[in-house]
Amino acid sequence: MGNGSHVNSLKWSRAAVFLVFAVFGLCISTWAVHIPSVQERTGVSVGTLGSLLLLHGAGALIGMQACGPLINRWGSARIALVGAAAMAATLALPLNAPTPALLGGALLIFGGATGITDVGMNARAVAVEQQAGKPIMSAFHAIFSVGSVIGSLIGAAALAAAWGMPATTAVMCGSCLLLVAVTAPNLRSVRADPTTGVGAPPEGAPSEPLSKRRRLVLLGALAFVLLLAEGCAMDWSSLHAQERLGVSNSLGALVFGGFVTAMTVGRFTADMVSARKGPVWVLRYGSLAVVGLGIVVASPALPLTMAGWVIFGLGLSGSLPQVFTAAGNVAGATGTDFSRVVGCGYVALLAGPALIGWLSELVTLNLALLLPLVAVAAAALGARAVGGDESPAIAAQGNGESVRRR
C-alpha cells in the first residue's frame, strides 16, 4: 500500500511539474508574439525596444540569484509554484504597458518572475527525476517547447481575429493562472527532502569543497555554451536562410520551425537514450549538432539548409537537460549553486544572439554561425562533467536492472 501511495504521489508530482513547464512556455511565447503590437502602441524604435528587452533579461538574472536562498529555505516545489503564479500574473504588465518607461518597469518585474520560475521548476524537476529513478528531465523541457508552440499559435490566432490586448491578456493570463491553480495541491504541500533535489548542505559539512566548486564551474560553462548555441539558432536561423538563400519570410519561418520541431522531438527521446547510454553519451554524441551546423554554413540550397537545422536541433536537444540534472545532483550543492548554473546559461541565451549580430557586421552572418558550431564542439569535449557523480535516477535504474538480471 505504501509503495502504491508513493507511485501515485510521484505521478501527480510529475504532472504538476509538467504543467509548470507548460505555463512557462505559454507565458514566454505569448509575450514574444505580441512584442510588435507593444512596440506599435508605445511608439518606441527598434533600438529602444532592444534596450528595453534587456531589462527582461536583467530581471530574470536578478530573480534567478534571489531564489537560490529561497529554495534552500522553502524547497524548490513551493518556489516553482510562487514563481509560476507570479509569471502568469505579471505577464499582463508588459502586454498592456502604455509608455516606454512603464514598459521597462513591467519587463523588469516580469523578468524577475521568469527567473524565479526557471530555477524553481528545474530544481523541482531534478527532485522528481530522482524520485522516479529514471531520466525524465528532457521530457520536462520538451513540454516547455510544446507550451511555446501552443502559445505562439494562440497568439497568432488572437492577432488574426483582431482581439484587443485586454481580451488577449484576460484569456492568456487567466488560463495560465488556472493551470497554476491545478498544480498547487501537488506542489504547495511538498516538504523539502534533503536526499532529493538541491538543498542546503548538511550541518558541519565543508562549505565549498574544491571538487564541488570545479564541477559547478564546469557545469556552468556547459550551460553557457549550450544555451549560446540554442539562442543563436532561435534568433538567427530564419534570417540566415533569407539572407544567404534569398528565400521569402514564410520559408525562413519554416526553417526556424524545422529547428524547433527537431528540438522538441529530440527532447522527448533523449531521456530514453540517457537511460540506456548515460548522460555523458547524450552530451558527447550531441556533437552531431556540429555536423548539422556545418551543413547549414556550407549549404547552397534550402532543402539542405533545412536538413542541417534539423540535425542541429536533434543533436542539441538532449544536452542541456543533462547539465541541469548533473548540477542538481552535485554532492552538497545548494539552491544558490543550482541557480548560478542556470544563470550562466541564461546569460549566454541573451549574449549569444547579440554576439552573432556583432560578428555579422565584421564578416558575414553565415561565417558568424561558426561561433555556435565551436560552442557545441566545446560542450562535447566537456561532456564528462555531467557524469562526475552518478545521478540517483541512474543509480536507481541500474540497481533495478541488476535485480532483474538476477
Side-chain angles (χ1 to χ4, degrees):
M1 183 174 178
N3 185 55
S5 176
H6 170 74
V7 171
N8 192 53
S9 174
L10 173 62
K11 179 181 71 173
W12 289 110
S13 292
R14 181 165 53 189
V17 179
F18 275 132
L19 281 177
V20 173
F21 271 81
V23 167
F24 191 86
L26 284 168
C27 289
I28 290 294
S29 59
T30 297
W31 161 241
V33 167
H34 290 92
I35 286 176
S37 299
V38 173
Q39 179 188 9
E40 182 179 352
R41 185 180 63 247
T42 56
V44 298
S45 66
V46 174
T48 301
L49 178 63
S51 299
L52 291 172
L53 290 176
L54 285 177
L55 290 174
H56 179 260
L61 289 174
I62 293 170
M64 285 177 179
Q65 302 316 307
C67 78
L70 297 177
I71 289 176
N72 294 341
R73 182 175 178 84
W74 299 107
S76 57
R78 293 177 180 176
I79 299 306
L81 176 61
V82 170
M87 195 175 175
T90 59
L91 171 62
L93 300 179
L95 287 179
N96 294 278
T99 66
L102 289 176
L103 176 60
L107 285 171
L108 192 64
I109 295 170
F110 179 57
T114 299
I116 290 172
T117 309
D118 201 347
V119 175
M121 70 184 189
N122 276 290
R124 184 58 193 156
V126 170
V128 172
E129 182 180 56
Q130 290 175 347
Q131 294 167 17
K134 61 181 180 181
I136 55 175
M137 179 64 84
S138 292
F140 289 125
H141 285 255
I143 292 298
F144 158 72
S145 299
V146 171
S148 298
V149 172
I150 293 173
S152 299
L153 292 175
I154 293 174
L159 290 170
W163 283 13
M165 195 60 76
T168 300
T169 302
V171 169
M172 294 310 299
C173 293
S175 298
C176 289
L177 283 170
L178 181 61
L179 288 174
V180 172
V182 171
T183 71
N186 296 298
L187 288 179
R188 184 183 56 198
S189 60
V190 174
R191 295 188 178 275
D193 182 349
T195 66
T196 59
V198 289
E203 290 184 11
S207 58
E208 282 292 316
L210 185 59
S211 59
K212 170 191 152 186
R213 290 203 304 270
R214 286 177 176 169
R215 182 119 189 267
L216 288 169
V217 168
L218 284 173
L219 291 171
L222 284 173
F224 184 91
V225 296
L226 288 169
L227 275 173
L228 182 147
E230 184 176 337
C232 291
M234 294 286 286
D235 284 20
W236 292 103
S237 55
S238 177
L239 184 60
H240 171 266
Q242 294 173 52
E243 283 196 2
R244 178 166 170 80
L245 304 176
V247 301
S248 65
N249 291 345
S250 58
L251 287 176
L254 189 62
V255 169
F256 168 75
F259 167 75
V260 173
T261 301
M263 286 283 287
T264 305
V265 171
R267 282 173 170 167
F268 273 121
T269 58
D271 288 327
M272 180 178 63
V273 177
S274 179
R276 293 186 177 184
K277 299 290 188 178
V280 175
W281 195 95
V282 173
L283 204 62
R284 183 166 292 155
Y285 289 93
S287 58
L288 174 70
V290 172
V291 176
L293 202 51
I295 292 172
V296 169
V297 171
S299 169
L302 181 61
L304 195 57
T305 297
M306 175 71 80
W309 282 117
V310 168
I311 293 171
F312 185 70
L314 287 173
L316 193 63
S317 60
S319 297
L320 186 66
Q322 312 308 316
V323 174
F324 285 166
T325 289
N329 287 305
V330 172
T334 66
T336 301
D337 295 324
F338 187 80
S339 68
R340 287 171 180 166
V341 173
V342 177
C344 284
Y346 200 83
V347 168
L349 196 62
L350 296 173
L355 286 173
I356 292 294
W358 296 333
L359 284 174
S360 65
E361 293 183 357
L362 297 176
V363 284
T364 63
L365 177 55
N366 193 53
L367 289 177
L369 288 180
L370 292 175
L371 176 64
L373 186 151
V374 172
V376 174
L381 292 175
R384 290 185 61 184
V386 300
D389 293 334
E390 189 173 38
S391 162
I394 300 298
Q397 186 184 48
N399 292 338
E401 289 175 353
S402 297
V403 171
R404 286 194 295 272
R405 281 196 292 269
R406 290 182 192 142

